[in-house]
Amino acid sequence: MKILLCPLSDGGYLYPALAAGRELRRRGHHVSVLARSSAVPVAAEAGLPCAVAEDFGGQRAFSATWWGKTGAAQYRAVLRAARTAQADLLVTSVLCNGALLAAESLDIPVAVVGLSVHLWNYRSGGDGEPHLGRTRESRTRDSLDLHAATREEVGLAGRASRWEDDPLLGDALLLRGDPALEYPGAELPERVRYVGPLTWEPAPGRGEWEAVEDHVARTGRGKPVVYVHLGRFFGGRTLWPRLNEAFTGGPFQAVVEQGRSTDPAPAPGADILLVRKPWMGPLVDAADLVLANGTSAPVLSALLRGRPLVLSPNGSEQPLLTGACVRAGVALRDPKTPSVDLSALLESVSRDEGLRTRARALGDRLAAVDGAARAADIVERVAQASATPKENHEYAISRPR
């Protein structure tokens, strides 16, 4: 089978797709990647050939920053690349409307690699779920509206889709989390499956980690490390004033991954090392706890290593995942109010053995799942279902998980 991976090219989306792709290649399938030019070396390290999205008209079309504005360009790039690769199946990321529509136009199946929590409406249950940000209904409605608008823009409006019940899920949506992160009593849609974290990331270059380790040892005066991973602010308040206050003269030092945030502003006297790395595992390993906005990659990395979390959410899935982690007892939420001292909150989490014990337990459950194998099983099942005669199609895609 010829499989084209066409996820968003940001690490939090690209790396899980590469993890699944590597397993599919190990099973004998021909797997290639479509990604922006900056991701080509990463795909090469994963051992997968990569077509450059810009060569297919996909400028900005695989950037998480531009995902809502470039659906048509993504559609055209995936369509062209899939035809060139003679793809039998696509694997894409959640939010990739263009890739979903390209699969529809090509009449081939598509598996969607999701986040660690389900973004949209549950099939049933979930009543009473508190909302730190937008409601599920609001998020689902806007996502469907954007999908419909992109469908019209690329000329597919009025054409029947085999996913009329929920076009955002493709043939299977693969969640990278654990049932403990969903609201109690809620039931996921039929085509949504748990596969676990799908962990893979590039290895540090020669001397890269050693340089970080040396800096922490020389300048940190023996203080425990907090790994800070900043995501997009979505118009919210920047964490930098609070970071500078917490890590100047306080009990901790910080290694801050700038991530997709902008305008880093570490104070001259703060115990802060600012980095921008395509890997985070060694940084989390060296940390006592993790402070993040609440995106999937740092949360899963922290849990897999048994590290408790302080989460300070802004937009997108950040409030949803923050609420899930707080419910699971593995994180505390930063209320972002002047009355709550961030340094004191970090100390509280660091001393809380209950949080740490629950983080280890959830991390152990996540680590016990062979996510790549489970994802590959589902992808192969989706392909088999697509080849099944239409009268048997519904039965085939609803086989046991």
Side-chain angles (χ1 to χ4, degrees), residues 203-275:
R206 183 183 297 273
E208 264 193 299
W209 162 240
E210 290 76 10
V212 173
E213 191 176 35
D214 180 64
H215 179 97
V216 166
R218 281 188 298 103
T219 65
R221 298 181 289 281
K223 295 179 180 181
V225 174
V226 176
Y227 175 63
V228 182
H229 191 102
L230 299 178
R232 290 177 63 195
F233 293 138
F234 295 100
R237 285 179 293 177
T238 173
L239 265 178
W240 276 108
R242 304 192 74 221
L243 293 178
N244 287 325
E245 182 179 3
F247 295 109
T248 300
F252 298 100
Q253 60 177 315
V255 176
V256 180
E257 168 56 58
Q258 185 178 337
R260 287 189 282 132
S261 64
T262 56
D263 301 324
D271 292 320
I272 291 175
L273 173 63
L274 182 67
V275 299

Side-chain angles (χ1 to χ4, degrees), residues 52-314:
V52 178
E54 290 88 339
D55 293 344
F56 292 88
Q59 289 81 358
R60 291 181 171 174
F62 296 88
S63 167
T65 302
W66 293 89
W67 76 269
K69 303 175 183 177
T70 56
Q74 184 183 93
Y75 166 80
R76 290 189 290 270
V78 173
L79 202 65
R80 293 164 183 161
R83 284 171 173 160
T84 299
Q86 297 181 313
D88 303 303
L89 180 144
L90 304 180
V91 176
T92 191
S93 303
V94 69
L95 307 177
C96 285
N97 288 316
L100 290 170
L101 293 167
E104 180 183 329
S105 184
L106 293 164
D107 195 25
I108 59 176
V110 56
V112 180
V113 179
L115 304 171
S116 52
V117 290
H118 186 55
L119 280 176
W120 300 303
N121 287 338
Y122 289 125
R123 179 164 55 172
S124 64
D127 300 330
E129 181 182 21
H131 308 289
L132 294 176
R134 302 173 62 188
T135 65
R136 280 186 189 275
E137 291 73 18
S138 170
R139 190 183 298 109
T140 302
R141 182 178 61 250
D142 286 356
S143 298
L144 288 171
D145 287 347
L146 181 58
H147 180 86
T150 307
R151 200 165 189 271
E152 183 171 358
E153 186 178 357
V154 302
L156 294 179
R159 173 176 165 175
S161 167
R162 68 175 179 272
W163 312 307
E164 290 295 343
D165 61 321
D166 198 335
L168 304 173
L169 307 181
D171 289 284
L173 173 64
L174 314 181
L175 288 184
R176 290 150 46 207
D178 181 271
L181 297 177
E182 301 299 337
Y183 193 70
E187 187 176 0
L188 293 171
E190 177 64 26
R191 300 199 305 278
V192 179
R193 306 283 189 267
Y194 292 110
V195 298
L198 286 176
T199 50
W200 181 87
E201 65 179 16
R206 183 183 297 273
E208 264 193 299
W209 162 240
E210 290 76 10
V212 173
E213 191 176 35
D214 180 64
H215 179 97
V216 166
R218 281 188 298 103
T219 65
R221 298 181 289 281
K223 295 179 180 181
V225 174
V226 176
Y227 175 63
V228 182
H229 191 102
L230 299 178
R232 290 177 63 195
F233 293 138
F234 295 100
R237 285 179 293 177
T238 173
L239 265 178
W240 276 108
R242 304 192 74 221
L243 293 178
N244 287 325
E245 182 179 3
F247 295 109
T248 300
F252 298 100
Q253 60 177 315
V255 176
V256 180
E257 168 56 58
Q258 185 178 337
R260 287 189 282 132
S261 64
T262 56
D263 301 324
D271 292 320
I272 291 175
L273 173 63
L274 182 67
V275 299
R276 184 181 283 277
K277 302 293 184 184
W279 42 267
M280 73 174 83
L283 302 173
V284 180
D285 283 333
D288 184 63
L289 67 150
V290 172
L291 168 61
N293 289 123
T295 51
S296 289
V299 167
L300 291 173
S301 186
L303 292 175
L304 285 167
R305 291 163 173 83
R307 302 300 191 267
L309 293 135
V310 174
L311 298 176
S312 184
N314 289 308

Side-chain angles (χ1 to χ4, degrees), residues 352-367:
D352 192 326
E353 281 305 314
L355 276 173
R356 199 173 296 275
T357 298
R358 289 186 292 272
R360 288 191 189 115
L362 180 51
D364 287 346
R365 284 209 306 275
L366 289 166

